[in-house]
Structure formats: C-alpha cells, structure tokens
Amino acid sequence: VLHDIMPFTLTALALGMMLTFRTQNCNARYTEARLLWGAMTNESRALSSRILTLSASAGSATATAAAARAVKCMMSFPHTLKYHLTMTGFCPDLQITLEMTDAELNAAKGVALRQELNTIWDSSVCQEKQFIDQLLQPNVASRPLHVLHELSDITAQSFSRPTAEGGVGLHAIHVAEIYRSLTRLQDVLGACERIYRTPIYTGYTNFCRRCVWLWCNLLPFAMFPLMGPYGTIPTSVVMSLFFYGMEDVGTRIEQPFERLPLWQYCDGIDASCKQLLAQTEQQQQQQQQQQ
C-alpha cells in the first residue's frame, strides 16, 4: 500500500546510489577537464620560457623573431581551444540562435575569435595577419590543431635548422624537449575532445531523472499517514530538494567546459607569456648596454 513507508525506504537507497554514481561520473569529467586546462597552463609557461631563453642565447634576429612567433602561437592555442569546446566561447557579444547552421556558427565564432587574436597578433604586419586569416578559414576543422601544427613547423624550420642554413641552430636535446611539450599539448587537446564528444549515456540520465520524478511525487502518499497534512508538505519538499539538487548538480557539470572559467585560463596564459616576452626583451637590452 502507498502509505507503507518501507517501499520508499528501500527505493531511496537504490535511487541515492543511482544519483551518486551519475554525479560522481560527472564530477570526474569536471575534475579531469580542470586538471587538463591547469596542465596546459603550466606547459605553456614552461614551453614559452624555454623557447625564449634558448633563442636569446643564440643572439640573432632570426631567433628572436621565431621565438616571438612561437610564443604568440602558444597564447593563441587556449583561445582557439576555448571556442572549439564551447558553444559561445564565453563571448558576451556572440549571438547564437537555434536556426543557425554549423557553417554560420563557425563563422560567428571566427569573428569573435579574430577580435581576441588581434590582442595577441599585430594585424598591421602582413605575415601575422596572414596567419590569422589562414587559421579562420572555413576549411580549418580544428583550429587548436592548426596552431599546434604551426608551432611544430616553427620548430622544424627555425629552431632545429643550423645557423648556417638560416635557422636558430638549437641543440638536438633542446629541440626534443620542445617537441615533447608539443606532444603534451596534443594530449591535452585529444583528452578535451574526448570529454566534449562523449557525454554520459543519455538513456541513463533520462532513467535517473524519471525515477526521481516518480519517487518524489509518490512520497507524500507515504508520509501523510505518519506526519499528517502539516508535516507531509515540508518534509516531502525538503527530501525532494535533496534528490533534485543532486540530479541537477550532475546535469550542470556533465559538460564541464561550459562551467569552467576558461576565459580566466586564457587571460592567465596571455599574461604569463607577455611577461616572459617583456622580461626577455629587457634582458637583451641590458646585455647590449653592457657590451
């Protein structure tokens, strides 16, 4: 009978386990996404510092230009990844509608991304403007991958090439360390895409939601004979809030990139790279003055 509390006691345990299992999986996705962006922040700082330091020791204009271009690519990577993993890229000026096609959505993201990249690259320089135009072409399916490939090309064409051939002439060990950092960034990109493209099974999510709805709607029938009209309503509401709250938390963090403050990661990487660029330029000026 519905006024018997025992069925609700037993089903509450099963329902709680289902919700906890789903919430834990959602939280694991959220935690992994947060750790991936934290690892990208650390790797970008280490790679930028390594490139600038090694290129400064070469003491040539070619090395300085190649290092600056590489660091700017490193600054561009999180911005492109942010738009790659989210619907709007956390851009308040980007207006998305349900009627937009994929091509229109990609073009709108490109306009917003161009504005952010203009704060990194100098559009008045032909070579830098050309890089932005190539990055935002419609046939570029993965813009973060395009940036990482550009970094690999700079390493191959400049850092690893001997000075006699117009390159920077870095030692093979240093070049290997740069490629190792790029591989770590490729791993971050792949892991983020895995989280973004493989959500929790929709059938399981819907099943949990329906079980919570049914359990909470039948609960007052079991509580009324025990607590009366004055105790049934507040008790049922409080217990329903617990279950619906746990279900809602899992729903909100199932897609972690829509909840993480990705713009703060991007701003932090930009600030770190700009600081390293300014510090390297200052050190070079001091060395020239001493000579």
Side-chain angles (χ1 to χ4, degrees):
V1 289
L2 286 176
H3 64 267
D4 190 358
I5 198 66
M6 184 58 67
F8 288 89
T9 303
L10 297 176
T11 55
L13 177 62
L15 184 61
M17 292 179 62
M18 284 194 305
L19 288 176
T20 301
F21 177 76
R22 179 173 178 272
T23 305
Q24 285 181 342
N25 279 276
C26 293
N27 184 68
R29 292 163 56 86
Y30 183 88
T31 302
E32 184 181 4
R34 179 173 57 83
L35 293 176
L36 287 171
W37 275 76
M40 180 182 62
T41 301
N42 297 337
E43 196 64 43
S44 64
R45 292 171 178 171
L47 179 58
S48 299
S49 178
R50 183 182 303 117
I51 289 176
L52 290 172
T53 303
L54 295 175
S55 300
S57 62
S60 64
T62 302
T64 302
R69 184 176 178 83
V71 173
K72 289 183 178 180
C73 286
M74 190 64 257
M75 296 166 63
S76 303
F77 177 68
H79 290 272
T80 56
L81 185 60
K82 179 185 64 171
Y83 282 95
H84 187 64
L85 300 174
T86 62
M87 184 65 67
T88 63
F90 298 97
C91 178
D93 298 328
L94 186 58
Q95 302 297 329
I96 303 297
T97 61
L98 296 177
E99 293 77 16
M100 295 179 66
T101 63
D102 291 341
E104 292 173 342
L105 177 61
N106 191 48
K109 286 184 178 181
V111 173
L113 179 58
R114 180 184 293 273
Q115 294 179 353
E116 297 185 14
L117 293 178
N118 285 335
T119 63
I120 300 172
W121 301 85
D122 188 359
S123 299
S124 61
V125 179
C126 181
Q127 188 178 9
E128 297 191 4
K129 184 178 183 300
Q130 183 181 6
F131 171 77
I132 297 178
D133 293 338
Q134 292 177 351
L135 176 63
L136 300 179
Q137 286 182 356
N139 60 346
V140 178
S142 177
R143 289 163 179 163
L145 181 61
H146 183 93
V147 174
L148 291 180
H149 184 70
E150 181 71 16
L151 277 168
S152 298
D153 183 71
I154 294 173
T155 304
Q157 299 298 327
S158 298
F159 296 144
S160 62
R161 180 173 294 183
T163 55
E165 299 178 6
V168 180
L170 296 182
H171 194 276
I173 296 178
H174 296 151
V175 174
E177 288 296 326
I178 295 176
Y179 278 123
R180 187 174 292 109
S181 294
L182 293 178
T183 302
R184 295 193 187 101
L185 294 176
Q186 292 278 11
D187 293 338
V188 169
L189 172 59
C192 288
E193 289 179 336
R194 170 176 52 80
I195 296 174
Y196 176 69
R197 294 175 179 174
T198 54
I200 294 177
Y201 178 53
T202 307
Y204 181 75
T205 300
N206 293 334
F207 178 71
C208 290
R209 185 177 292 114
R210 291 164 185 167
C211 288
V212 171
W213 179 87
L214 181 63
W215 193 91
C216 291
N217 279 274
L218 293 179
L219 180 62
F221 293 98
M223 301 300 296
F224 185 83
L226 300 175
M227 308 187 70
Y230 297 104
T232 298
I233 295 178
T235 303
S236 300
V237 169
V238 170
M239 295 185 67
S240 299
L241 283 175
F242 285 140
F243 283 103
Y244 274 114
M246 186 178 298
E247 194 273 336
D248 182 65
V249 168
T251 302
R252 289 178 181 273
I253 63 177
E254 183 178 353
Q255 289 294 350
F257 302 112
E258 297 290 347
R259 302 300 171 187
L260 285 170
L262 302 186
W263 70 92
Q264 293 183 1
Y265 289 98
C266 295
D267 292 343
I269 293 175
D270 289 350
S272 299
C273 292
K274 290 179 180 179
Q275 175 185 336
L276 293 173
L277 284 170
Q279 183 178 358
T280 302
E281 182 179 359
Q282 183 180 7
Q283 291 174 348
Q284 291 177 345
Q285 292 177 354
Q286 291 177 353
Q287 292 177 358
Q288 294 176 357
Q289 291 177 358
Q290 292 176 357
Q291 293 177 355

